[in-house]
């Protein structure tokens, strides 16, 4: 709705994980570097963790988009599966035909044969599991067994686990210590800093054809305070603020518009920064009134 008004080619703050709009912060570049390093090695597991909305899926897609054609990639988005369902999903993702797909041994044998054949053809096989914190202990152990398939110099299956911090906690348990020891590269993605948030907002605007900044400094500060550096929340707030500026006929987003956007996005549950600012303003006004009133009384009596 506001694209033509602000002369933009597409929505700059769409929450879909589009690698073309990724802001290359130091954290995100490091995460990409760690994943690439892990995939170049001969190990079985690479792990990427981070809080909700920090850009894990964006990072993984940037890495996958840069892989050579020699990689077969299977991507699992819903890992809330039992062992049989996990095997079925892996085989389906690699497009492995299996006649009796409810038999654990048949599925395992089919996967093993596929991996061996692909290796003979000079191809690597990669399994990516998003939201991996939902995997059961039994499913994670089964994944470890998948990586037992190997040649003299490499694993036949590499696995990227992407998940929230709970995944780290799960892998720290005694039951999964063997899997944890097979993780050759791991990275925990943190939220953006204040300066990175400013750069992130301006980068997204420029990336979709914007010719000028659309947010003033106070607006971006408010977005950082409310989103706490989390890219997904930054996108939600910035998009709503742009809509608000468009509705008001403004050519840039100011503090007042951003504050209203935050109220709408968070349903009135604002961070204490705004509440503190409001209290300070009220207290300042009260002090001014008291001082003026005192001066008037002093002049009257003296």
């Amino acid at each position: 709705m506001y694209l033509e008004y602000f002369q933009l080619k597409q929505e700059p703050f769409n929450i879909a994980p589009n690698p073309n709009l990724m802001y290359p912060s130091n954290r995100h570049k490091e995460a990409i570097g760690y994943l690439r390093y892990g995939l170049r090695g001969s190990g079985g597991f690479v792990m990427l963790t981070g809080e909700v909305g920090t850009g894990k899926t964006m990072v993984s897609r940037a890495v996958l988009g840069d892989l050579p054609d020699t990689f077969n990639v299977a991507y699992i988005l819903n890992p809330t599966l039992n062992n049989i369902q996990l095997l079925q999903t892996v085989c389906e993702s690699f497009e492995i035909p299996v006649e009796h797909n409810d038999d654990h041994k048949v599925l395992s044998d089919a996967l093993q044969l596929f991996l061996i054949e692909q290796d003979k053809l000079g191809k690597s096989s990669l399994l990516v599991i998003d939201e991996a914190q939902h995997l059961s202990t039994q499913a994670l152990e089964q994944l470890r067994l998948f990586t037992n398939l190997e040649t003299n110099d490499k694993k036949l299956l590499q696995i990227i686990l992407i998940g929230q911090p709970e995944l780290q906690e799960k892998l720290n348990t005694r039951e999964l210590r063997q899997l944890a020891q097979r993780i050759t590269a791991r990275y925990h993605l943190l939220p953006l800093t204040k300066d990175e948030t400013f750069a992130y907002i301006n980068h997204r605007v420029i990336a979709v054809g914007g010719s000028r900044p659309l947010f003033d400094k106070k607006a971006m500060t408010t977005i950082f305070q409310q989103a706490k550096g989390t890219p997904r929340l930054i996108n939600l707030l910035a998009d709503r603020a742009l809509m608000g500026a468009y509705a008001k006929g403004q050519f840039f987003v100011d503090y007042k518009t951003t504050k209203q956007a935050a109220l709408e996005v968070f349903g009135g549950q604002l961070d204490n920064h705004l509440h503190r600012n409001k209290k300070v303003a009220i207290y300042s006004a009260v002090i001014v009134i008291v001082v003026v009133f005192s001066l008037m009384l002093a002049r009257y009596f003296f």
Side-chain angles (χ1 to χ4, degrees):
M1 187 179 293
Y2 56 71
L3 297 185
E4 185 177 351
Y5 182 78
F6 289 113
Q7 299 181 331
L8 304 174
K9 296 177 182 177
Q10 64 183 95
E11 294 179 5
F13 301 105
N14 192 313
I15 62 173
N18 183 354
N20 296 324
L21 297 181
M22 187 178 74
Y23 166 65
S25 72
N26 289 333
R27 290 173 170 83
H28 288 82
K29 286 190 289 187
E30 282 183 357
I32 290 172
Y34 271 82
L35 292 185
R36 286 175 176 166
Y37 169 78
L39 293 178
R40 284 200 302 267
S42 57
F45 286 91
V46 177
M47 185 171 75
L48 175 64
T49 56
E51 287 291 351
V52 176
T54 48
K56 300 183 295 297
T57 303
M58 179 88 79
V59 166
S60 68
R61 291 191 179 180
V63 172
L64 295 179
D66 199 37
L67 289 177
D69 294 336
T70 54
F71 269 85
N72 297 305
V73 180
Y75 204 109
I76 297 179
L77 292 171
N78 177 25
T80 311
L81 308 166
N82 60 37
N83 285 4
I84 288 290
Q85 291 170 334
L86 179 60
L87 261 173
Q88 290 171 338
T89 305
V90 171
C91 288
E92 289 171 4
S93 298
F94 278 127
E95 299 181 353
I96 303 171
V98 182
E99 291 186 9
H100 303 287
N101 67 349
D102 57 349
D103 186 289
H104 191 283
K105 185 178 185 307
V106 171
L107 289 164
S108 297
D109 290 347
L111 176 60
Q112 180 174 345
L113 180 60
F114 170 81
L115 295 175
I116 292 172
E117 290 177 344
Q118 293 303 303
D119 181 64
K120 289 179 180 178
L121 293 172
K123 292 194 172 186
S124 301
S125 297
L126 172 64
L127 173 62
V128 183
I129 301 183
D130 208 345
E131 301 293 344
Q133 74 277 359
H134 295 306
L135 286 167
S136 66
T137 299
Q138 292 76 20
L140 285 165
E141 177 62 15
Q142 180 167 252
L143 290 176
R144 183 187 69 82
L145 295 176
F146 288 170
T147 63
N148 281 342
L149 302 172
E150 58 190 356
T151 63
N152 290 333
D153 58 353
K154 72 171 187 177
K155 301 287 186 182
L156 296 185
L157 178 64
Q158 290 180 288
I159 300 174
I160 296 179
L161 298 176
I162 304 170
Q164 295 169 26
E166 294 89 331
L167 177 60
Q168 292 186 23
E169 298 173 9
K170 189 171 286 188
L171 293 179
N172 286 333
T173 60
R174 181 174 177 79
E175 294 89 339
L176 294 172
R177 65 189 184 281
Q178 292 188 70
L179 189 156
Q181 291 173 2
R182 295 192 182 187
I183 298 175
T184 57
R186 63 177 75 200
Y187 191 84
H188 184 71
L189 198 57
L190 295 172
L192 302 176
T193 64
K194 182 177 180 180
D195 288 342
E196 287 174 336
T197 298
F198 284 25
Y200 174 91
I201 292 171
N202 290 326
H203 169 84
R204 301 275 294 209
V205 171
I206 293 171
V208 297
S211 59
R212 61 181 178 85
L214 297 179
F215 295 77
D216 68 21
K217 189 173 181 179
K218 285 192 70 175
M220 291 191 291
T221 298
T222 302
I223 290 174
F224 169 72
Q225 291 170 346
Q226 297 305 306
K228 297 179 175 60
T230 302
R232 186 180 298 166
L233 294 180
I234 292 172
N235 289 348
L236 289 171
L237 279 172
D239 182 74
R240 189 68 62 89
L242 276 177
M243 183 66 72
Y246 164 73
K248 295 178 181 178
Q250 300 173 180
F251 290 101
F252 66 94
V253 179
D254 58 12
Y255 165 75
K256 187 176 180 180
T257 303
T258 307
K259 181 182 176 182
Q260 180 59 40
L263 285 167
E264 294 172 1
V265 170
F266 294 110
Q269 299 298 315
L270 294 185
D271 185 79
N272 288 333
H273 284 92
L274 294 186
H275 290 303
R276 283 198 297 270
N277 290 342
K278 185 176 181 180
K279 289 179 180 178
V280 168
I282 293 172
Y283 292 153
S284 299
V286 170
I287 291 172
V288 169
I289 292 172
V290 170
V291 170
V292 171
F293 187 68
S294 299
L295 290 173
M296 290 176 62
L297 287 176
R299 290 182 62 183
Y300 180 78
F301 287 106
F302 299 101

